[in-house]
Structure formats: C-alpha cells, structure tokens
Amino acid sequence: MTRLLIVDDEALVRAGLKMILESDDDLEVVAEADDGVDAAAMVKEHRPDVVLMDIRMPRLDGLAATRAVQALPDPPKVVVLTTFDLDDYVFRALQAGASGFLLKDTPPRELVQAIKVVAAGDAMLSPAVTRRLIGHFAADPRADRRRLAQQRISKLTEREREVLIEVGRGLQNSDIGKTLFMSEATVKAHVSRTLVKLSATNRVQVAILAYEAGLLDD
C-alpha cells in the first residue's frame, strides 16, 4: 500500500484527487493539508510515501514546502501539481528535489499510474510536457546554463551520456534498454552512477541537465 499526502489549498481539488487515487486498491490518502506551511509537520506525523504538492498556496507555496519536506530525514517523494501558469515555480521545485510534476487536468488513469511510478522510486517524466517546461528554461541565456551543464556532464562515460540522453527524452529503464541494447539492470546501474557523478537527486534533475547541455537539441 502506497501512503499519500495531498497538499492543496482548494478543498474541491483535494476531494477530487482523493477520490481518484483511492479508487486504486494500492493507494491510500493518509492525510491532507490546506497549505504548504503544514506539509513538513504532516509528513513527520503520517510518514507518507508520496506527497502531491500544489504550487500556488496562500501562506507557503509549493516550492518552499518542497524544500522543507526534502530537508527531512528519509523524505517522501514529492510530485508538484500545476496548471502551467507558474512555469518558473515548477522548474525550481524540480531543482529543489521534486520527483516530477503533473497537470491538474491529468486523466485519472494517468494520475494513478504516475503516482505508482514515483512511489516505486522512479521520476515521473512526461516527455512532451517535460520538454516544453525544461526547454523554456534551458534556452534562457541569462545564467549561461549550457556551458555549465556541459562542464558537469564531461565527467560521464560515453555510455552514461547515451543513457542520459534517453532519460532526458522521458524513457523509463526498460525502454532505454531496448533502445541501447542493454539489460534493464545495466541501465539501472548506469542511471545510478550518473546520478552520483552529477550530484543529482533524481531523474528529473538529470533530464534538466540533458536539456541545458544541448544533448536533446536534435
């Protein structure tokens, strides 16, 4: 059973999410919070496996709340919820350690599947949506992100770079194995080493780096 915490200031949204998620026998909503300020305390009290975190909330937004949750010992996975009118907040939440993001109008079946993917220890990457979001910020010249990203990935082996590219495209380990003719276990090992070398928390941060380094420009 995967334990869930929903953090959203709209009661109707929380009720809808709970109804959808608990329609699956493997998911249980153990607590709800109506503002990010309560998120860390709720995590300590209820020990959820996954937190669904709204971005815009009145007292403490999802970005700050994600940082607070990720600073806890043995933190849960965090999935941020967005309507796409706050792209910058979403991007920074991913950098803060969130394992992915979902649009609030995600179809119920996809929502349940995404939560299961994250609970299993993987990042939730939707190739098309992730490309739109990350690509926007990777193209921002102000921070000279491309040069810095290329410096970071220079420590990877050629095989690790190939795996990094496929992670950036949103592929899961099984699909990467088929694409690169490797076993899923070998892919998992490459991903783990890549995370360590790049000092990344999860696959989403690795995907951001792949975009920023220009590995997906084609």
Side-chain angles (χ1 to χ4, degrees):
M1 180 70 71
T2 298
R3 297 164 57 82
L4 307 171
L5 166 64
I6 299 174
V7 184
D8 195 295
D9 63 318
E10 296 186 33
L12 187 60
V13 171
R14 295 198 307 273
L17 288 171
K18 182 176 181 179
M19 180 180 66
I20 292 169
L21 295 169
E22 291 193 334
S23 67
D24 189 287
D25 293 338
D26 295 328
L27 303 180
E28 178 187 11
V29 177
V30 296
E32 301 175 26
D34 61 6
D35 196 89
V37 74
D38 300 318
M42 287 285 192
V43 167
K44 291 179 182 179
E45 180 178 355
H46 298 280
R47 305 307 303 170
D49 302 300
V50 178
V51 177
L52 274 73
M53 185 79 73
D54 188 22
I55 284 293
R56 176 177 284 178
M57 290 180 285
R59 291 187 294 167
L60 190 71
D61 64 38
L63 174 63
T66 295
R67 287 177 175 160
V69 167
Q70 290 299 299
L72 296 173
D74 191 23
K77 306 294 184 183
V78 175
V79 176
V80 296
L81 298 172
T82 179
T83 54
F84 253 131
D85 36 6
L86 282 177
D87 284 352
D88 185 40
Y89 276 85
V90 177
F91 180 77
R92 286 189 283 148
L94 296 177
Q95 288 184 314
S99 293
F101 65 91
L102 292 171
L103 300 180
K104 285 190 174 181
D105 60 356
T106 298
R109 181 177 298 180
E110 293 181 20
L111 172 63
V112 169
Q113 183 58 36
I115 295 302
K116 288 186 174 183
V117 167
V118 170
D122 213 343
M124 198 291 297
L125 284 172
S126 170
V129 178
T130 303
R131 183 169 292 112
R132 173 182 165 187
L133 173 66
I134 300 174
H136 172 73
F137 288 94
D140 181 359
R142 289 175 298 176
D144 196 15
R145 291 191 175 104
R146 175 159 298 194
R147 178 180 57 81
L148 296 175
Q150 290 174 344
Q151 287 179 352
R152 289 182 64 187
I153 67 172
S154 65
K155 64 187 71 174
L156 300 181
T157 66
E158 184 60 33
R159 204 55 163 162
E160 288 166 350
R161 283 173 62 94
E162 291 175 349
V163 171
L164 172 64
I165 289 171
E166 301 308 324
V167 170
R169 289 173 175 159
L171 297 188
Q172 301 302 319
N173 290 349
S174 58
D175 295 320
I176 294 174
K178 294 174 184 177
T179 300
L180 299 180
F181 304 103
M182 295 189 294
S183 70
E184 188 170 348
T186 300
V187 174
K188 186 175 182 179
H190 280 306
V191 171
S192 296
R193 285 195 295 270
T194 299
L195 288 170
V196 172
K197 286 185 177 182
L198 299 178
S199 299
T201 304
N202 55 51
R203 294 168 74 105
V204 178
Q205 293 180 343
V206 166
I208 291 172
L209 194 60
Y211 276 92
E212 291 180 333
L215 297 183
L216 302 171
D217 286 352
D218 56 352

